[in-house]
Amino acid sequence: QGLQARVGVLRRKSLSQPGRGAHMLAEVRAVVDAIERADPTAAGIAAQAHVQAAAQVVLANLATVPEPEKRR
């Protein structure tokens, strides 16, 4: 699998969690707002926070998946 395919799987897993869509929109909005203000530091921090939040959701979701399904 290529990187894009893996990112797509993780995105679907993340967005399948209740309330994640709204949080994701707020996180991305923070990135866009920082870019519009020409604040690269804030944009980087917001982007990193977004990726970390999505990763936490996916990792928590994977922790509940039975072992054979993790190997797919």
Side-chain angles (χ1 to χ4, degrees):
Q1 286 185 358
L3 179 60
Q4 290 294 344
R6 289 176 187 233
V7 168
V9 168
L10 295 174
R11 183 177 294 123
R12 285 189 296 281
K13 286 218 177 275
S14 175
L15 289 174
S16 71
Q17 301 305 303
R20 179 65 194 137
H23 289 287
M24 183 270 306
L25 288 175
E27 293 160 7
V28 172
R29 181 84 244 156
V31 174
V32 171
D33 288 347
I35 292 169
E36 288 175 342
R37 291 191 316 272
D39 186 342
T41 301
I45 291 168
Q48 185 176 19
H50 167 60
V51 171
Q52 288 176 337
Q56 288 176 348
V57 169
V58 171
L59 291 173
N61 180 269
L62 288 176
T64 65
V65 175
E67 219 24 68
E69 291 185 33
K70 289 182 182 178
R71 293 189 190 124
R72 287 185 190 181

